[in-house]
Amino acid sequence: MTETHQHQQPLQHAIDVADHAILQAQDAEHQLQVAISQANPRSIQSANAALTEAKQQVYEAHEQLRAFNNDEYGQQIQQTMEQLTQASQDLEANQEKFHTPKQIR
């Protein structure tokens, strides 16, 4: 019983990392929306940086989970993988939707 629990710790860690990455992506998207509504170039630039970092976190979390995406754990992580994919697509859409003007004064 203990071996099974210890064996699942790396998987649980990967799922926790993925959940954190998803939340980070949502926060970055919200930060960008607020910055756009305020039309604050510095905030927009900061939000774009947060989006870029969130994209990296989502990618890394996805790669960690892929290591467990096999017959033994596949069902268990499928939903988290789908959420990561959706977060990645949302981040990409938000970055494409709004680009910071080249001249920020």
Side-chain angles (χ1 to χ4, degrees):
M1 187 77 158
T2 303
E3 284 182 27
T4 302
H5 179 69
Q6 287 176 349
H7 186 63
Q8 289 184 345
Q9 284 178 342
L11 172 63
Q12 187 58 50
H13 176 71
I15 290 173
D16 291 344
V17 167
D19 288 343
H20 178 73
I22 291 165
L23 290 176
Q24 186 177 1
Q26 292 169 343
D27 288 345
E29 291 169 10
H30 177 72
Q31 185 180 346
L32 179 62
Q33 296 305 320
V34 170
I36 291 171
S37 70
Q38 294 174 347
N40 182 333
R42 291 183 198 273
S43 294
I44 292 169
Q45 194 172 25
S46 175
N48 274 326
L51 281 175
T52 300
E53 184 174 330
K55 279 175 61 174
Q56 181 64 31
Q57 295 297 320
V58 167
Y59 173 79
E60 289 174 8
H62 197 269
E63 289 301 304
Q64 269 190 346
L65 281 179
R66 281 177 46 146
F68 296 101
N69 194 13
N70 55 38
D71 291 339
E72 185 178 356
Y73 297 116
Q75 291 288 334
Q76 191 173 356
I77 65 169
Q78 183 177 0
Q79 182 180 2
T80 305
M81 293 280 279
E82 289 171 3
Q83 290 172 336
L84 282 171
T85 300
Q86 184 63 50
S88 180
Q89 291 170 350
D90 291 347
L91 287 168
E92 195 68 40
N94 273 298
Q95 278 196 313
E96 288 178 10
K97 180 170 50 175
F98 190 85
H99 295 284
T100 307
K102 292 192 188 260
Q103 292 182 338
I104 297 179
R105 298 185 192 269

XYZ file of all heavy atoms in Angstrom:
842
model
N 0.827 -1.195 0.000
C 0.000 0.000 0.000
C 0.870 1.257 0.000
O 0.629 2.177 -0.737
C -0.920 -0.033 1.225
C -1.934 1.062 1.225
S -3.252 0.634 0.081
C -4.533 1.637 0.732
N 1.906 1.250 0.818
C 2.794 2.395 0.889
C 3.511 2.603 -0.437
O 3.669 3.724 -0.885
C 3.832 2.210 2.019
O 3.118 2.000 3.231
C 4.697 3.436 2.160
N 3.932 1.527 -1.081
C 4.625 1.655 -2.353
C 3.738 2.318 -3.400
O 4.205 3.146 -4.162
C 5.075 0.285 -2.862
C 6.276 -0.256 -2.135
C 6.717 -1.582 -2.704
O 6.477 -1.840 -3.890
O 7.312 -2.372 -1.958
N 2.477 1.960 -3.428
C 1.558 2.562 -4.392
C 1.431 4.044 -4.131
O 1.473 4.861 -5.054
C 0.169 1.894 -4.307
O 0.323 0.503 -4.540
C -0.776 2.487 -5.324
N 1.284 4.424 -2.870
C 1.146 5.837 -2.518
C 2.409 6.612 -2.890
O 2.331 7.689 -3.471
C 0.840 5.986 -1.023
C 0.699 7.403 -0.593
N -0.353 8.192 -0.988
C 1.496 8.177 0.183
C -0.203 9.399 -0.472
N 0.908 9.421 0.244
N 3.574 6.060 -2.577
C 4.824 6.730 -2.909
C 5.022 6.804 -4.416
O 5.578 7.776 -4.919
C 6.003 6.000 -2.258
C 6.068 6.208 -0.762
C 7.177 5.392 -0.118
O 7.762 4.524 -0.748
N 7.449 5.685 1.142
N 4.544 5.801 -5.112
C 4.673 5.778 -6.565
C 3.837 6.889 -7.205
O 4.193 7.406 -8.251
C 4.241 4.400 -7.084
C 4.461 4.213 -8.543
N 5.712 4.233 -9.117
C 3.601 3.996 -9.556
C 5.603 4.043 -10.419
N 4.335 3.892 -10.709
N 2.736 7.272 -6.563
C 1.865 8.294 -7.127
C 2.269 9.717 -6.750
O 1.730 10.659 -7.297
C 0.418 8.035 -6.711
C -0.182 6.834 -7.403
C -1.642 6.639 -7.071
O -2.160 7.211 -6.132
N -2.303 5.818 -7.852
N 3.228 9.878 -5.835
C 3.652 11.209 -5.443
C 4.170 12.041 -6.620
O 3.786 13.203 -6.737
C 4.676 11.152 -4.312
C 4.053 10.841 -2.971
C 5.071 10.744 -1.857
O 6.254 10.573 -2.096
N 4.594 10.862 -0.634
N 5.023 11.514 -7.480
C 5.465 12.320 -8.630
C 4.293 12.724 -9.532
O 4.262 13.839 -10.054
C 6.434 11.405 -9.370
C 6.905 10.441 -8.339
C 5.731 10.248 -7.416
N 3.333 11.833 -9.698
C 2.155 12.163 -10.494
C 1.372 13.288 -9.833
O 0.978 14.247 -10.493
C 1.259 10.937 -10.676
C -0.105 11.222 -11.324
C 0.077 11.757 -12.738
C -0.950 9.964 -11.328
N 1.154 13.191 -8.533
C 0.410 14.232 -7.833
C 1.140 15.564 -7.919
O 0.524 16.610 -8.092
C 0.167 13.852 -6.359
C -0.737 14.828 -5.637
C -2.101 14.967 -6.301
O -2.764 13.990 -6.596
N -2.516 16.203 -6.578
N 2.452 15.532 -7.820
C 3.242 16.758 -7.957
C 3.050 17.364 -9.352
O 2.869 18.575 -9.490
C 4.726 16.478 -7.697
C 5.592 17.672 -7.907
N 5.590 18.755 -7.051
C 6.467 17.964 -8.890
C 6.438 19.663 -7.505
N 6.990 19.201 -8.619
N 3.077 16.534 -10.371
C 2.886 17.017 -11.746
C 1.486 17.616 -11.914
O 1.322 18.646 -12.583
C 3.108 15.889 -12.742
N 0.491 17.005 -11.307
C -0.873 17.543 -11.383
C -0.955 18.874 -10.641
O -1.580 19.829 -11.115
C -1.895 16.520 -10.840
C -2.000 15.342 -11.817
C -3.264 17.168 -10.617
C -2.843 14.191 -11.319
N -0.308 18.963 -9.481
C -0.287 20.223 -8.726
C 0.382 21.334 -9.527
O -0.091 22.473 -9.554
C 0.420 20.038 -7.383
C -0.356 19.163 -6.415
O -1.572 18.930 -6.640
O 0.252 18.697 -5.430
N 1.498 21.010 -10.176
C 2.201 21.982 -11.017
C 1.281 22.434 -12.158
O 1.205 23.616 -12.483
C 3.523 21.390 -11.559
C 4.115 22.248 -12.671
C 4.523 21.224 -10.429
N 0.564 21.492 -12.742
C -0.358 21.816 -13.834
C -1.482 22.728 -13.347
O -1.822 23.714 -14.005
C -0.939 20.540 -14.430
N -2.056 22.402 -12.200
C -3.122 23.245 -11.648
C -2.620 24.660 -11.388
O -3.308 25.643 -11.676
C -3.673 22.634 -10.353
C -4.502 21.386 -10.594
O -4.942 21.154 -11.745
O -4.704 20.628 -9.618
N -1.411 24.774 -10.864
C -0.826 26.093 -10.609
C -0.613 26.853 -11.929
O -0.883 28.048 -12.015
C 0.496 25.954 -9.854
C 1.173 27.257 -9.611
N 0.716 28.173 -8.690
C 2.258 27.813 -10.193
C 1.500 29.244 -8.715
N 2.443 29.042 -9.626
N -0.146 26.157 -12.945
C 0.081 26.785 -14.249
C -1.230 27.283 -14.844
O -1.282 28.369 -15.437
C 0.767 25.805 -15.193
N -2.298 26.519 -14.682
C -3.608 26.922 -15.195
C -4.076 28.189 -14.483
O -4.553 29.136 -15.123
C -4.626 25.773 -15.043
C -4.268 24.621 -16.001
C -6.053 26.258 -15.296
C -4.963 23.317 -15.696
N -3.918 28.225 -13.165
C -4.304 29.428 -12.404
C -3.451 30.624 -12.804
O -3.958 31.745 -12.931
C -4.189 29.173 -10.899
C -5.215 28.222 -10.306
C -4.918 27.973 -8.826
C -6.618 28.783 -10.469
N -2.168 30.403 -13.015
C -1.274 31.469 -13.439
C -1.700 32.012 -14.806
O -1.689 33.217 -15.034
C 0.164 30.969 -13.495
C 1.178 32.046 -13.792
C 2.604 31.528 -13.769
O 2.855 30.350 -13.550
N 3.548 32.407 -13.995
N -2.103 31.134 -15.689
C -2.568 31.547 -17.011
C -3.834 32.393 -16.894
O -3.965 33.438 -17.538
C -2.832 30.325 -17.884
N -4.765 31.969 -16.059
C -6.002 32.723 -15.865
C -5.713 34.098 -15.274
O -6.305 35.100 -15.689
C -6.968 31.937 -14.978
C -7.506 30.695 -15.638
C -8.260 29.778 -14.682
O -8.147 29.890 -13.463
N -9.022 28.851 -15.235
N -4.806 34.159 -14.305
C -4.433 35.441 -13.700
C -3.803 36.377 -14.732
O -4.093 37.575 -14.760
C -3.466 35.235 -12.528
C -4.141 34.636 -11.305
O -5.394 34.635 -11.231
O -3.407 34.168 -10.408
N -2.939 35.840 -15.571
C -2.283 36.649 -16.602
C -3.295 37.182 -17.608
O -3.211 38.343 -18.028
C -1.200 35.830 -17.305
N -4.254 36.348 -17.980
C -5.306 36.793 -18.903
C -6.128 37.909 -18.281
O -6.436 38.912 -18.940
C -6.211 35.619 -19.275
C -5.532 34.591 -20.138
C -6.346 33.309 -20.272
O -7.510 33.286 -19.865
O -5.785 32.327 -20.793
N -6.462 37.762 -17.010
C -7.230 38.796 -16.312
C -6.418 40.093 -16.223
O -6.950 41.186 -16.449
C -7.626 38.318 -14.911
C -8.350 39.345 -14.114
N -9.655 39.716 -14.382
C -7.953 40.100 -13.066
C -10.023 40.652 -13.535
N -9.006 40.906 -12.722
N -5.142 39.954 -15.920
C -4.261 41.122 -15.829
C -4.229 41.869 -17.164
O -4.273 43.106 -17.185
C -2.851 40.664 -15.437
C -1.867 41.774 -15.197
C -0.492 41.246 -14.802
O -0.327 40.080 -14.471
N 0.499 42.103 -14.850
N -4.179 41.152 -18.265
C -4.170 41.789 -19.581
C -5.494 42.496 -19.848
O -5.513 43.628 -20.337
C -3.893 40.767 -20.682
C -3.880 41.339 -22.108
C -2.771 42.366 -22.277
C -3.743 40.222 -23.126
N -6.604 41.858 -19.513
C -7.909 42.478 -19.739
C -8.043 43.781 -18.951
O -8.542 44.780 -19.463
C -9.043 41.513 -19.366
C -9.099 40.266 -20.221
C -9.175 40.551 -21.711
O -9.866 41.466 -22.145
N -8.451 39.788 -22.498
N -7.588 43.792 -17.703
C -7.640 45.004 -16.877
C -6.744 46.080 -17.479
O -7.143 47.241 -17.588
C -7.232 44.689 -15.415
C -7.033 45.962 -14.610
C -8.277 43.800 -14.755
N -5.543 45.706 -17.899
C -4.608 46.664 -18.479
C -5.172 47.276 -19.760
O -5.052 48.484 -19.987
C -3.268 45.986 -18.756
N -5.811 46.452 -20.580
C -6.414 46.957 -21.821
C -7.550 47.916 -21.494
O -7.670 48.986 -22.095
C -6.902 45.793 -22.703
C -5.707 45.020 -23.261
C -7.794 46.300 -23.836
C -6.075 43.725 -23.957
N -8.386 47.559 -20.526
C -9.514 48.424 -20.183
C -9.046 49.760 -19.617
O -9.712 50.774 -19.777
C -10.460 47.724 -19.201
O -9.857 47.599 -17.936
N -7.886 49.764 -18.975
C -7.326 51.001 -18.427
C -6.485 51.741 -19.466
O -6.099 52.882 -19.232
C -6.457 50.695 -17.209
C -7.230 50.146 -16.036
C -6.329 49.714 -14.897
O -5.106 49.601 -15.039
N -6.930 49.455 -13.746
N -6.206 51.095 -20.580
C -5.379 51.662 -21.652
C -4.047 52.172 -21.108
O -3.554 53.223 -21.493
C -6.133 52.772 -22.386
N -3.462 51.393 -20.205
C -2.187 51.756 -19.602
C -1.081 50.955 -20.275
O -0.965 49.747 -20.058
C -2.242 51.460 -18.102
C -0.961 51.849 -17.384
O 0.113 51.881 -17.969
N -1.091 52.126 -16.103
N -0.248 51.623 -21.088
C 0.794 50.902 -21.836
C 1.750 50.114 -20.942
O 2.157 49.009 -21.286
C 1.540 51.996 -22.590
C 0.565 53.121 -22.677
C -0.268 53.038 -21.436
N 2.110 50.643 -19.798
C 3.031 49.928 -18.911
C 2.376 48.668 -18.336
O 2.998 47.629 -18.238
C 3.512 50.834 -17.781
C 4.424 51.933 -18.258
C 4.931 52.755 -17.086
N 5.444 54.030 -17.502
C 6.686 54.247 -17.891
N 7.531 53.253 -17.932
N 7.068 55.440 -18.246
N 1.115 48.800 -17.973
C 0.384 47.639 -17.460
C 0.204 46.591 -18.550
O 0.283 45.389 -18.288
C -0.980 48.054 -16.914
O -0.835 48.862 -15.782
N -0.050 47.037 -19.760
C -0.209 46.119 -20.891
C 1.098 45.362 -21.133
O 1.095 44.148 -21.330
C -0.671 46.871 -22.156
C -2.101 47.379 -21.953
C -0.576 45.979 -23.387
C -2.568 48.355 -23.009
N 2.198 46.094 -21.090
C 3.502 45.465 -21.289
C 3.772 44.445 -20.181
O 4.239 43.334 -20.442
C 4.579 46.541 -21.318
C 5.910 46.074 -21.834
C 6.864 47.233 -22.024
O 6.741 48.278 -21.386
N 7.827 47.050 -22.895
N 3.449 44.792 -18.956
C 3.625 43.883 -17.826
C 2.731 42.649 -17.977
O 3.148 41.523 -17.709
C 3.309 44.616 -16.523
O 3.366 43.742 -15.432
N 1.500 42.876 -18.409
C 0.560 41.772 -18.598
C 1.036 40.839 -19.715
O 0.908 39.616 -19.604
C -0.831 42.309 -18.903
N 1.584 41.410 -20.776
C 2.110 40.576 -21.855
C 3.274 39.725 -21.362
O 3.413 38.556 -21.747
C 2.538 41.434 -23.048
C 1.384 41.709 -23.980
O 0.502 40.878 -24.150
N 1.379 42.880 -24.584
N 4.107 40.292 -20.496
C 5.209 39.524 -19.914
C 4.652 38.393 -19.048
O 5.164 37.267 -19.071
C 6.109 40.438 -19.096
N 3.592 38.677 -18.294
C 2.958 37.645 -17.464
C 2.365 36.546 -18.336
O 2.443 35.358 -17.993
C 1.883 38.262 -16.567
N 1.787 36.924 -19.479
C 1.247 35.925 -20.408
C 2.365 35.032 -20.943
O 2.197 33.818 -21.034
C 0.538 36.607 -21.579
C -0.865 37.134 -21.335
C -1.355 37.892 -22.558
C -1.821 36.008 -20.994
N 3.472 35.626 -21.293
C 4.600 34.854 -21.811
C 5.108 33.869 -20.764
O 5.352 32.697 -21.065
C 5.736 35.796 -22.260
O 5.227 36.656 -23.295
C 6.932 35.035 -22.777
N 5.228 34.333 -19.531
C 5.679 33.443 -18.457
C 4.659 32.335 -18.202
O 5.022 31.173 -18.006
C 5.920 34.224 -17.168
C 6.480 33.350 -16.071
C 6.872 34.114 -14.824
O 7.251 35.290 -14.930
O 6.802 33.514 -13.749
N 3.382 32.685 -18.235
C 2.334 31.685 -18.016
C 2.357 30.631 -19.122
O 2.178 29.437 -18.852
C 0.968 32.361 -17.944
N 2.595 31.060 -20.360
C 2.680 30.104 -21.463
C 3.809 29.108 -21.216
O 3.645 27.911 -21.462
C 2.930 30.838 -22.793
C 1.694 31.424 -23.395
C 1.976 32.246 -24.624
C 2.610 31.475 -25.741
N 2.753 32.263 -26.974
N 4.937 29.592 -20.717
C 6.071 28.711 -20.425
C 5.710 27.723 -19.315
O 6.026 26.534 -19.402
C 7.302 29.541 -20.034
C 8.525 28.705 -19.744
C 9.023 27.926 -20.958
O 8.888 28.351 -22.103
N 9.607 26.772 -20.720
N 5.033 28.205 -18.273
C 4.639 27.335 -17.165
C 3.657 26.256 -17.639
O 3.755 25.094 -17.235
C 4.015 28.157 -16.030
C 4.982 29.120 -15.375
C 6.146 28.423 -14.700
O 5.969 27.389 -14.068
N 7.330 28.985 -14.836
N 2.712 26.654 -18.480
C 1.741 25.693 -19.008
C 2.457 24.647 -19.859
O 2.184 23.449 -19.745
C 0.635 26.420 -19.823
C -0.193 25.441 -20.641
C -0.266 27.218 -18.881
N 3.381 25.088 -20.686
C 4.141 24.157 -21.520
C 4.917 23.161 -20.658
O 4.886 21.947 -20.907
C 5.097 24.933 -22.439
C 6.025 24.033 -23.213
C 5.575 23.362 -24.345
C 7.340 23.823 -22.797
C 6.424 22.512 -25.051
C 8.184 22.981 -23.494
C 7.724 22.326 -24.622
O 8.549 21.490 -25.313
N 5.616 23.675 -19.644
C 6.410 22.794 -18.784
C 5.524 21.812 -18.019
O 5.879 20.637 -17.870
C 7.257 23.626 -17.819
C 8.393 24.357 -18.520
C 9.153 25.300 -17.611
O 8.917 25.306 -16.388
O 10.002 26.033 -18.134
N 4.380 22.273 -17.539
C 3.461 21.391 -16.819
C 2.931 20.307 -17.754
O 2.812 19.138 -17.374
C 2.310 22.198 -16.241
N 2.634 20.693 -18.986
C 2.144 19.743 -19.982
C 3.197 18.671 -20.243
O 2.876 17.477 -20.317
C 1.788 20.496 -21.265
C 0.930 19.715 -22.194
N 1.446 18.914 -23.175
C -0.419 19.599 -22.283
C 0.460 18.340 -23.840
N -0.680 18.737 -23.317
N 4.449 19.096 -20.364
C 5.535 18.148 -20.610
C 5.710 17.189 -19.424
O 5.954 15.999 -19.621
C 6.848 18.884 -20.902
C 6.853 19.563 -22.257
C 6.629 18.590 -23.402
O 7.389 17.615 -23.522
O 5.685 18.795 -24.182
N 5.575 17.709 -18.201
C 5.678 16.843 -17.024
C 4.575 15.791 -17.037
O 4.820 14.624 -16.750
C 5.556 17.665 -15.736
C 6.847 18.147 -15.186
C 6.672 18.739 -13.791
O 5.572 19.019 -13.333
N 7.787 18.953 -13.128
N 3.369 16.201 -17.344
C 2.246 15.257 -17.344
C 2.367 14.231 -18.468
O 1.918 13.101 -18.315
C 0.917 15.996 -17.455
C 0.413 16.618 -16.167
C -0.901 17.352 -16.418
C 0.227 15.581 -15.077
N 2.962 14.628 -19.571
C 3.123 13.684 -20.687
C 3.919 12.464 -20.261
O 3.702 11.367 -20.774
C 3.803 14.361 -21.871
C 2.862 15.209 -22.677
C 3.569 15.915 -23.780
N 4.471 15.016 -24.500
C 4.718 15.101 -25.786
N 4.125 16.020 -26.492
N 5.552 14.272 -26.362
N 4.812 12.628 -19.311
C 5.602 11.499 -18.816
C 4.716 10.449 -18.147
O 5.059 9.277 -18.110
C 6.663 11.992 -17.840
N 3.572 10.888 -17.638
C 2.650 9.973 -16.952
C 1.475 9.563 -17.838
O 0.615 8.813 -17.413
C 2.092 10.626 -15.685
C 3.139 10.902 -14.663
C 3.659 12.171 -14.498
C 3.625 9.885 -13.856
C 4.618 12.434 -13.546
C 4.599 10.128 -12.904
C 5.099 11.407 -12.752
N 1.426 10.083 -19.040
C 0.292 9.814 -19.914
C 0.474 8.448 -20.572
O 0.896 8.327 -21.705
C 0.165 10.913 -20.972
C -1.171 10.865 -21.671
O -2.090 10.191 -21.229
N -1.279 11.589 -22.767
N 0.140 7.428 -19.819
C 0.259 6.055 -20.312
C -0.960 5.261 -19.842
O -1.890 5.829 -19.283
C 1.576 5.426 -19.827
C 1.699 5.492 -18.313
O 0.723 5.315 -17.585
N 2.893 5.758 -17.836
N -0.941 3.993 -20.074
C -2.104 3.163 -19.712
C -2.400 3.195 -18.215
O -3.544 3.142 -17.804
C -1.881 1.716 -20.158
C -1.907 1.578 -21.667
O -2.475 2.469 -22.335
O -1.358 0.587 -22.180
N -1.356 3.278 -17.412
C -1.555 3.237 -15.967
C -2.222 4.501 -15.426
O -3.092 4.444 -14.563
C -0.206 3.036 -15.263
C -0.337 2.863 -13.754
C 1.009 2.607 -13.088
O 2.032 2.489 -13.799
O 1.023 2.525 -11.867
N -1.823 5.673 -15.941
C -2.321 6.938 -15.401
C -3.164 7.750 -16.388
O -3.680 8.798 -16.035
C -1.148 7.830 -14.980
C -0.319 7.262 -13.877
C 1.020 6.939 -14.100
C -0.849 7.060 -12.619
C 1.803 6.417 -13.086
C -0.077 6.544 -11.594
C 1.251 6.224 -11.830
O 2.022 5.719 -10.828
N -3.279 7.282 -17.595
C -3.921 8.059 -18.646
C -5.262 8.659 -18.270
O -5.503 9.845 -18.459
N -6.154 7.843 -17.718
C -7.483 8.337 -17.338
C -7.392 9.396 -16.247
O -8.127 10.364 -16.250
C -8.363 7.176 -16.855
C -8.755 6.216 -17.941
C -9.768 6.825 -18.889
O -10.514 7.712 -18.503
N -9.786 6.362 -20.123
N -6.477 9.193 -15.332
C -6.357 10.073 -14.181
C -5.913 11.485 -14.579
O -6.320 12.454 -13.964
C -5.365 9.473 -13.185
C -5.346 10.153 -11.842
C -4.466 9.397 -10.854
O -3.946 8.339 -11.152
N -4.306 9.956 -9.678
N -5.074 11.596 -15.600
C -4.559 12.915 -15.956
C -5.190 13.520 -17.205
O -4.875 14.643 -17.562
C -3.027 12.874 -16.126
C -2.641 11.986 -17.300
C -2.349 12.464 -14.853
C -1.204 12.102 -17.678
N -6.083 12.801 -17.836
C -6.667 13.284 -19.082
C -7.317 14.656 -18.918
O -7.112 15.552 -19.734
C -7.683 12.270 -19.603
C -8.275 12.666 -20.934
C -9.227 11.607 -21.470
O -9.438 10.577 -20.845
N -9.791 11.873 -22.612
N -8.098 14.845 -17.881
C -8.789 16.119 -17.676
C -7.791 17.264 -17.460
O -7.958 18.342 -18.010
C -9.741 16.016 -16.492
C -10.518 17.297 -16.258
C -11.470 17.193 -15.087
O -11.538 16.187 -14.408
N -12.215 18.256 -14.847
N -6.754 17.008 -16.681
C -5.751 18.040 -16.437
C -5.026 18.393 -17.727
O -4.770 19.571 -17.995
C -4.751 17.585 -15.361
O -5.477 17.225 -14.180
C -3.769 18.686 -15.018
N -4.725 17.395 -18.548
C -4.083 17.654 -19.835
C -4.986 18.509 -20.718
O -4.525 19.438 -21.378
C -3.754 16.333 -20.549
C -2.699 15.498 -19.862
S -1.035 16.059 -20.184
C -0.760 15.320 -21.788
N -6.278 18.216 -20.715
C -7.227 19.001 -21.504
C -7.293 20.441 -20.999
O -7.357 21.388 -21.791
C -8.610 18.355 -21.469
C -8.682 17.060 -22.257
C -9.980 16.296 -22.057
O -10.874 16.783 -21.336
O -10.096 15.190 -22.625
N -7.256 20.623 -19.677
C -7.275 21.972 -19.112
C -6.009 22.736 -19.485
O -6.069 23.933 -19.783
C -7.426 21.907 -17.589
C -8.795 21.453 -17.140
C -8.863 21.217 -15.641
O -7.853 20.966 -14.983
N -10.065 21.299 -15.101
N -4.875 22.069 -19.486
C -3.627 22.715 -19.894
C -3.673 23.124 -21.360
O -3.229 24.212 -21.723
C -2.437 21.782 -19.657
C -1.939 21.667 -18.228
C -0.912 20.549 -18.124
C -1.338 22.982 -17.756
N -4.205 22.251 -22.186
C -4.325 22.572 -23.608
C -5.225 23.786 -23.805
O -4.899 24.702 -24.569
C -4.874 21.360 -24.388
O -3.962 20.262 -24.223
C -5.041 21.678 -25.862
N -6.344 23.818 -23.093
C -7.260 24.959 -23.192
C -6.580 26.235 -22.695
O -6.713 27.293 -23.310
C -8.540 24.694 -22.388
C -9.574 25.795 -22.527
C -10.064 25.946 -23.953
O -10.435 24.982 -24.587
N -10.066 27.167 -24.462
N -5.848 26.153 -21.595
C -5.143 27.322 -21.061
C -4.127 27.836 -22.069
O -4.005 29.046 -22.283
C -4.455 26.974 -19.742
N -3.415 26.923 -22.705
C -2.428 27.307 -23.710
C -3.093 28.016 -24.888
O -2.616 29.052 -25.361
C -1.680 26.069 -24.185
O -0.733 26.408 -25.159
N -4.215 27.489 -25.346
C -4.943 28.110 -26.461
C -5.477 29.480 -26.071
O -5.426 30.428 -26.857
C -6.081 27.197 -26.912
C -5.606 25.936 -27.586
C -6.710 24.919 -27.820
O -7.826 25.057 -27.313
N -6.399 23.881 -28.568
N -5.984 29.606 -24.838
C -6.489 30.891 -24.370
C -5.379 31.934 -24.289
O -5.564 33.092 -24.674
C -7.154 30.745 -22.997
C -8.448 29.959 -23.038
O -8.990 29.726 -24.146
O -8.928 29.566 -21.949
N -4.222 31.522 -23.794
C -3.088 32.446 -23.709
C -2.668 32.917 -25.091
O -2.414 34.099 -25.307
C -1.907 31.768 -23.007
C -2.036 31.577 -21.504
C -0.944 30.650 -20.998
C -1.981 32.908 -20.778
N -2.593 31.980 -26.007
C -2.205 32.319 -27.379
C -3.196 33.307 -27.991
O -2.809 34.296 -28.614
C -2.124 31.042 -28.218
C -1.401 31.203 -29.519
C 0.090 31.473 -29.343
O 0.724 30.868 -28.468
O 0.609 32.312 -30.107
N -4.480 33.050 -27.801
C -5.515 33.931 -28.342
C -5.421 35.329 -27.739
O -5.571 36.334 -28.449
C -6.898 33.338 -28.088
N -5.165 35.409 -26.441
C -5.050 36.716 -25.792
C -3.836 37.477 -26.278
O -3.900 38.683 -26.468
C -5.003 36.565 -24.261
C -6.385 36.528 -23.672
O -7.138 37.478 -23.784
N -6.727 35.417 -23.056
N -2.738 36.793 -26.492
C -1.548 37.475 -26.989
C -1.751 37.947 -28.426
O -1.290 39.020 -28.790
C -0.318 36.587 -26.885
C 0.272 36.614 -25.495
C 1.674 36.064 -25.446
O 1.947 35.018 -26.005
N 2.549 36.755 -24.762
N -2.437 37.161 -29.219
C -2.668 37.553 -30.608
C -3.702 38.669 -30.713
O -3.644 39.493 -31.613
C -3.125 36.350 -31.432
C -2.008 35.356 -31.674
C -2.470 34.138 -32.445
O -3.602 34.139 -32.967
O -1.695 33.169 -32.527
N -4.641 38.679 -29.772
C -5.719 39.664 -29.806
C -5.197 41.079 -29.587
O -5.726 42.033 -30.143
C -6.752 39.314 -28.738
C -7.919 40.266 -28.661
C -9.023 39.781 -27.772
C -8.530 39.350 -26.406
N -9.618 38.989 -25.504
N -4.186 41.192 -28.796
C -3.699 42.522 -28.471
C -2.187 42.555 -28.480
O -1.535 41.787 -27.775
C -4.198 42.965 -27.095
C -3.917 44.420 -26.849
C -4.787 45.381 -27.290
C -2.756 44.805 -26.225
C -4.517 46.719 -27.096
C -2.479 46.138 -26.023
C -3.362 47.096 -26.457
N -1.634 43.433 -29.280
C -0.188 43.618 -29.332
C 0.126 45.012 -28.817
O -0.551 45.970 -29.146
C 0.337 43.457 -30.760
C 0.167 42.076 -31.283
N 0.980 41.048 -30.897
C -0.728 41.546 -32.141
C 0.593 39.938 -31.510
N -0.454 40.206 -32.263
N 1.170 45.101 -28.031
C 1.607 46.381 -27.496
C 2.127 47.250 -28.641
O 2.912 46.784 -29.447
C 2.727 46.178 -26.457
O 2.274 45.254 -25.497
C 3.098 47.483 -25.784
N 1.702 48.508 -28.695
C 2.245 49.402 -29.728
C 3.756 49.503 -29.592
O 4.298 49.456 -28.494
C 1.583 50.745 -29.413
C 0.395 50.420 -28.585
C 0.725 49.146 -27.854
N 4.442 49.658 -30.731
C 5.891 49.705 -30.704
C 6.411 50.957 -30.007
O 7.458 50.951 -29.419
C 6.448 49.600 -32.112
C 6.221 48.243 -32.713
C 7.029 48.071 -33.965
C 6.634 46.793 -34.631
N 7.481 45.690 -34.432
N 5.647 52.052 -30.109
C 6.094 53.299 -29.470
C 5.305 53.507 -28.180
O 4.187 53.956 -28.191
C 5.889 54.482 -30.394
C 6.791 54.467 -31.611
C 6.592 55.685 -32.466
O 5.562 56.329 -32.407
N 7.598 55.999 -33.261
N 5.971 53.204 -27.091
C 5.368 53.454 -25.778
C 6.182 54.566 -25.145
O 7.381 54.471 -24.993
C 5.399 52.190 -24.884
C 4.567 51.100 -25.502
C 4.916 52.536 -23.480
C 4.569 49.811 -24.699
N 5.492 55.609 -24.801
C 6.204 56.768 -24.220
C 5.793 56.934 -22.792
O 4.758 56.698 -22.360
C 5.890 58.034 -25.006
C 6.368 57.901 -26.430
C 6.171 59.201 -27.182
N 6.369 58.988 -28.590
C 7.520 59.126 -29.205
N 8.577 59.478 -28.541
N 7.621 58.937 -30.487
